[in-house]
Each structure stands twice: as C-alpha cells, then as structure tokens.
Amino acid sequence: MQNYFRATSYINHWLDAVDEHSIHSPFFYEFYHQVIKSTSDRDHFLEIEKTREVLLSNETVVSVKDLGAKSPHFKSDGRTISKIAATSLSPEKHCALFYRIAKYTEAKRIVELGTSMGITSLYLSKIERSKVITFEGNPWMINIAKSNFEYFHQKNIQLIEGNINQTLPDHLQNPVKIDFALLDANHRYEPTLQYFEWLSKRMADRGVMVIDDIYYSEEMGKAWRELKKHDLVYGSIDLYRCGILFFDIRLNKQHFVWSL
Ligand SMILES: C[S@@+](CC[C@H](N)C(=O)[O-])C[C@H]1O[C@@H](n2cnc3c(N)ncnc32)[C@H](O)[C@@H]1O
C-alpha cells in the first residue's frame, strides 16, 4: 500500500513538475538557480562524507526502537549501523541542498528534528555564525552523533536528548527566533502537524522550514497538503523527497512543484 502510494505520488510529481520558464517571481527564480540547481560548495563536505562511508561499513548491531513511524526496512530492534546509515540518513545531495537553503537565507539559528548519526547536523553547522540545535531520542544514535560532533570539533551544535514530544516544547520556551528548521523525525500526520504548529510560532519573518519525506506514506502526503496551505505559509516548493515552506509574507502564496 505504502509502495503504491509512493509510486503514484512520484508519477504525479513528475507530471506536475515545471521548470524555470514557469517561474515569474524574481525571488523564486533566483532560489531555483542559486539553491535548487546549484552544485557549489561540494568540496566543503568531503570529510563529512568520509564519516558517512565509515558508518556505512560498520556492521555493529545496535538496538533501535522506532520512536516515530515504523521503519519499513527492519523487522526487529537489532539493526546494523550500516543499514541504519543506508536507510535513514539524508543522502549527500539532500544534505547539500539543506545547507544551501540555510546558507541562502543567512540562517543563524537552525533547528533539526531527528539527528540520527549527525550527518545533516554537521553539514548545517558549516554555515558561518550559525547555531544548530538538533533533537534525537534514540540513545545509540545520540552516542554516535556525539562522537561525530567531537571528531569534527563542531562547537556550534547543541544536541537535545529525549522524545521530541517533550523536548521541543520545553526548548521553545526560549523565545529566540528560528531561521531554518528541518523536520526529519516521527514521520506521521499528527506529530508532523504538531511540530509545525510549535515551531511556526518561533519562525523568523523570512524563516524557511523543510519537511522531509513528504510522500513517505499517505499520512505524510496529507500532512504536506495541509501544511502548504497553512495561513502562516506564504510559499512552498515540492521537491518530492522533501517540501520547503516559506514564512515571508511578501511571497504572496506561491506554490511550485520542481524536480531536484
Ligand atoms: C530520518 S532520521 C534523521 C536523519 C537525519 N536528519 C539526517 O539527515 O542525517 C529520524 C531520526 O528521528 C528520531 N526520532 C523519531 N521520532 C522521534 C521522537 N519522537 N523523539 C526523538 N527522536 C525521534 C529517530 O530516532 C531517528 O534517528
């Protein structure tokens, strides 16, 4: 059922996708070229990608209970680090995209829900003068992410441990504005909407939020359809694997379907 949903969503996405010729807004035209289609900064991440390679060849078995949507890739809690790395980390192309979005928006305060082994957090932490606050609940993932952060001496990453359902509202007691948020945990309808509601109250005027895995399941598809129409959202881009939401009131409710 899930596979059928993903396949039909992919075909629909492919049919709906437009290219630069359909973009009339100067902001989105520039965003398309400078962020979505750009391949700059690649050499910046070679060391992080070497760390991914090490994780992809680590056959140690760890115990992982799904805190959010059940992973279709595993039948039990005993899982190899290599298979978790292969199935749950954002691929290099998407990590680089998240970095470019946050850099383009000059993000200073970045929130990531779902640290896993910290690969995307490391990409985001490369943005100058940024602070990355990343949330994770699985003790094994926390340990691996912490050792990766120590290895890279990244002092601008704060890892918040525990279930996001509790840790996120606690953290948001702090009224500091968020420039860039990546929702990449608990891929279910209600938690996704709830996390959006909590975070949206703290987004900066020109803040950007990325929702990962928007066609992971029917319930994620439903969440995405509702979020892009939310009153606080003034622009959206559907890239199939993820969706980008813009909070800048000047964008005048424009919505695009693009391929990456
Ligand atoms: C898809 S992975 C994140 C990948 C990471 N952002 C990256 O790109 O490398 C999702 C992570 O969210 C964590 N997670 C899911 N639901 C959670 C919850 N309710 N509280 C805390 N962590 C959660 C899982 O343990 C998992 O490590």
Side-chain angles (χ1 to χ4, degrees), residues 47-60:
E47 280 301 312
I48 302 175
E49 287 306 318
K50 278 190 201 153
T51 300
R52 186 200 298 270
E53 289 303 316
V54 172
L55 297 167
L56 283 167
S57 57
N58 186 335
E59 294 305 317
T60 309

Side-chain angles (χ1 to χ4, degrees), residues 65-112:
K65 280 196 194 332
D66 291 314
L67 289 164
K70 212 169 159 28
S71 169
H73 304 288
F74 301 97
K75 292 196 168 51
S76 70
D77 294 348
R79 304 171 181 185
T80 58
I81 290 178
S82 60
K83 192 162 175 191
I84 301 170
T87 57
S88 95
L89 304 185
S90 298
E92 179 179 359
K93 189 175 176 180
H94 291 91
C95 291
L97 172 71
F98 301 151
Y99 167 86
R100 289 196 304 273
I101 300 173
K103 188 178 170 193
Y104 183 79
T105 54
E106 299 178 357
K108 296 282 170 288
R109 201 169 183 90
I110 296 173
V111 166
E112 177 190 28

Side-chain angles (χ1 to χ4, degrees), residues 3-249:
N3 286 343
Y4 177 77
F5 173 74
R6 285 188 205 166
T8 51
S9 304
Y10 185 74
I11 294 166
N12 288 335
H13 181 273
W14 186 74
L15 291 171
D16 291 342
V18 296
D19 63 13
E20 60 193 300
H21 302 295
S22 309
I23 310 167
H24 303 297
S25 145
F27 172 84
F28 283 105
Y29 188 84
E30 192 177 284
F31 194 85
Y32 182 85
H33 285 286
Q34 291 193 13
V35 180
I36 303 294
K37 294 293 172 187
S38 166
T39 51
S40 62
D41 294 322
R42 266 205 178 143
D43 296 348
H44 224 51
F45 309 115
L46 294 176
E47 280 301 312
I48 302 175
E49 287 306 318
K50 278 190 201 153
T51 300
R52 186 200 298 270
E53 289 303 316
V54 172
L55 297 167
L56 283 167
S57 57
N58 186 335
E59 294 305 317
T60 309
V61 176
V62 297
S63 174
V64 173
K65 280 196 194 332
D66 291 314
L67 289 164
K70 212 169 159 28
S71 169
H73 304 288
F74 301 97
K75 292 196 168 51
S76 70
D77 294 348
R79 304 171 181 185
T80 58
I81 290 178
S82 60
K83 192 162 175 191
I84 301 170
T87 57
S88 95
L89 304 185
S90 298
E92 179 179 359
K93 189 175 176 180
H94 291 91
C95 291
L97 172 71
F98 301 151
Y99 167 86
R100 289 196 304 273
I101 300 173
K103 188 178 170 193
Y104 183 79
T105 54
E106 299 178 357
K108 296 282 170 288
R109 201 169 183 90
I110 296 173
V111 166
E112 177 190 28
L113 303 186
T115 317
S116 189
M117 304 182 196
I119 294 295
T120 300
S121 331
L122 285 166
Y123 268 75
L124 294 169
S125 71
K126 293 278 181 191
I127 292 163
E128 275 175 35
R129 293 182 293 282
S130 70
K131 172 155 190 189
V132 180
I133 300 124
T134 181
F135 293 73
E136 177 57 53
N138 179 273
W140 275 101
M141 296 304 109
I142 289 168
N143 283 339
I144 295 170
K146 275 185 176 168
S147 67
N148 286 334
F149 299 157
E150 274 164 30
Y151 176 78
F152 280 91
H153 305 291
Q154 281 313 115
K155 301 262 182 269
N156 59 339
I157 305 178
Q158 180 185 357
L159 175 53
I160 298 192
E161 304 175 24
N163 194 317
I164 294 165
N165 299 349
Q166 283 92 48
T167 54
L168 184 59
D170 286 352
H171 175 74
L172 295 175
Q173 300 288 330
N174 179 344
V176 179
K177 291 287 184 192
I178 298 162
D179 303 296
F180 177 78
L182 170 62
L183 272 66
D184 191 14
N186 208 345
H187 298 103
R188 291 178 297 171
Y189 175 77
E190 275 177 20
T192 301
L193 260 64
Q194 179 65 83
Y195 299 162
F196 173 92
E197 287 298 334
W198 285 335
L199 286 165
S200 61
K201 297 189 171 60
R202 290 275 179 270
M203 292 305 290
D205 291 347
R206 297 189 190 177
V208 177
M209 188 184 290
V210 171
I211 316 284
D212 206 31
D213 287 316
I214 52 176
Y215 296 108
Y216 180 80
S217 59
E218 281 189 50
E219 56 179 314
M220 281 304 288
K222 181 170 186 270
W224 170 246
R225 284 194 300 279
E226 290 179 22
L227 290 180
K228 65 185 182 181
K229 287 194 211 131
H230 193 283
D231 284 351
L232 291 174
V233 171
Y234 287 89
S236 73
I237 302 170
D238 178 336
L239 294 172
Y240 182 72
R241 161 83 198 227
C242 66
I244 309 172
L245 302 172
F246 296 84
F247 289 76
D248 187 343
I249 198 165

